[in-house]
Amino acid sequence: MNALLNEISARLQEGKAKAVKELVQKALDNGLPVKQILEEGLLAGMNVIGIKFKNNEVFVPEVLVAARAMNHGMEVLKPHLAASNVKARGRVCLGTVQGDLHDIGKNLVRMMMEGRGLEVVDLGTDVAPETFVKAAMEQDCGVIACSALLTTTMGMMRDVVKEADKAGIRGKVKIMVGGAPVTEAFCREIGADAYTPDAASAAEAAAAFFG
Ligand code: B1M
C-alpha cells in the first residue's frame, strides 16, 4: 500500500488531527485518487480503532480523538468527494430514544459508522418513534439505529418497531437496537432486526445490511 496512506491511517489512530489534515492534502496534491485516500487512509485507520475498541485495547477517549482526526481529514476530502462521484455506502438514521438524554454511546456509534463510510442522520436524543420513522422515510435511510441507556426508556424501541410496521417500511428498513440495558433477547422479543453490544459491532452490522 502507498506509504502516504499508511501514514494517514497511523496518524489518525494516534489522534493527530493536524497531521492527518496535512497528509490528506499532500495525498491530493500527489494526485492520489480521492476514493483511495478515503478507503485506504482514513477509513482504514478508523477500522483499526474500531477493532481495538471492541477488543478493549483502546477506550472512549482514544476513539474520540481518532474520530476528531478523521473529521479533520474529511474536511479536506469532502469537497472532492462529490466531484469524484464517491458515494456513501448507505444511510443510517440514528438517535437515542424518547425520554432518554444519554448520548455518549450514541455518538460513538455515529463515529464508528462514519468510520465505515456510512452516512449518518443524527436525530440526537429524546427521539420519538414517529420521528425515527419519518426521518428514515424522508431521508431514504436503510437502517434505523436506536440507543437507550435506561431500563425505563428501552421500551420505546418496541414502539419504533411498531411505527415502522405501521408505515409499511420494514421490507426496506432494518431496525438496530443497542445500549447498556438492551439485550439480544429483548431485540428478538420486540421484533427488531439486530442487537449489537458496542459501537464497533453496530457499525459492522449496519455496513453488513448495506452489503
Ligand atoms: Co445516567 N444513568 N441518568 N446520566 N448515566 C446511567 C445509565 C445509570 C446506569 C447510572 C446508575 O444508576 N448506575 C442509570 C440507569 C439505570 C437504569 O435504568 N438501569 C442512570 C440514570 C438513572 C440516570 C438518571 C435517571 C438520573 C437522575 O436524574 N435521577 C438521568 C436520566 C436522564 C434522562 O436520560 N432522561 C441520568 C442522567 C445522566 C447525565 C445527563 C448526568 C449523564 C449523560 C450525559 C450524556 O450522555 N450526554 C449520565 C451518565 C454519563 C451516565 C453514566 C455514568 C455513563 C453513561 C455513558 O455515557 N457510558 C451511566 C452509568 C454507567 O454506565 N456507568 C448512567 C459510556 C458510553 C460509551 O457507554 O452509552 O453504554 P454506553 O454505550 C456503549 C454501549 O451501550 C453501546 O456502545 C457503547 C460502547 O461502544 N451502545 C450501542 C450504545 N448505544 C448503542 C446503539 C447500538 C449499538 C450499541 O445500536 C443502535
Side-chain angles (χ1 to χ4, degrees), residues 53 60 94 99-106 108-109 145-152 176-181 196-200 202:
F53 181 60
V60 174
L94 168 72
D100 202 325
L101 302 175
H102 296 85
D103 68 355
I104 300 170
K106 187 261 303 164
L108 281 178
V109 171
C146 308
S147 176
L149 261 284
L150 299 170
T151 44
T152 50
M176 294 179 55
V177 293
T196 49
D198 57 69

Side-chain angles (χ1 to χ4, degrees), residues 90-95 106 110 113-114 118-124 132 135-136 139-141 143 145:
R91 190 176 293 158
V92 178
C93 158
L94 168 72
K106 187 261 303 164
R110 187 187 73 215
M113 285 183 171
E114 287 175 348
L118 299 172
E119 196 179 324
V120 178
V121 178
D122 190 342
L123 302 173
F132 275 110
Q139 309 211 38
D140 198 21
C141 297
V143 169

Side-chain angles (χ1 to χ4, degrees), residues 157-166 170 175 190-192:
M157 291 170 167
R158 190 191 303 275
D159 294 345
V160 175
V161 174
K162 279 187 192 156
E163 273 301 316
D165 276 339
K166 211 163 80 186
R170 286 305 293 284
I175 300 180
I190 65 171

